[in-house]
Amino acid sequence: MTVAVFDHEGPWTEEEYLSLGETSQRVELFDGSLHDKVLKMHHYAAAGIDWYLLADQAAGALRLHRRRGRHYVEHSAAKRGETLELTEPVRATIRPEELLP
């Protein structure tokens, strides 16, 4: 998926990431800990980041959230065997089993 959406193969180095400059179109991958599921979502909404994609490893699902005011609401979701179609903030088709163990 990285290659298709970002035209970049493999992990990003810190130098490559920082060279992207200031943008509201940032993608961050994380480990799924409680901090990430609750606190990051709160902080991202407060920072005005419009979209938040959560990869829920325990449920084998992807959940796309859209910011509404200072909070996120679930916009769409897909579990194993389904596809998540994104039209915003990027166009992509994602299958949970391709990202989740």
Side-chain angles (χ1 to χ4, degrees), residues 3-99:
V3 175
V5 176
F6 301 104
D7 195 28
H8 183 279
E9 192 169 340
W12 291 70
T13 65
E14 183 176 357
E15 183 178 329
E16 290 172 323
Y17 181 80
L18 294 174
S19 73
L20 293 172
E22 292 295 323
T23 176
S24 63
Q25 303 295 319
R26 184 73 69 204
V27 173
E28 180 179 353
L29 301 177
F30 50 84
D31 69 3
S33 68
L34 179 60
H35 174 264
D36 290 326
K37 289 182 182 176
V38 178
L39 293 177
K40 274 191 177 181
M41 186 180 277
H42 169 76
H43 292 302
Y44 286 1
I49 296 171
D50 289 328
W51 296 93
Y52 187 91
L53 178 61
L54 177 65
D56 186 341
Q57 291 183 8
L62 299 173
R63 302 183 190 291
L64 181 63
H65 295 85
R66 184 172 196 163
R67 187 174 59 85
R68 183 178 296 155
R70 297 182 62 193
H71 303 283
Y72 287 103
V73 293
E74 190 170 289
H75 178 75
S76 58
K79 59 186 178 194
R80 281 185 169 79
E82 299 176 346
T83 58
L84 184 64
E85 298 285 339
L86 282 78
T87 57
E88 292 184 66
V90 296
R91 287 188 152 307
T93 301
I94 309 171
R95 290 179 173 68
E97 59 270 17
E98 293 176 354
L99 296 179

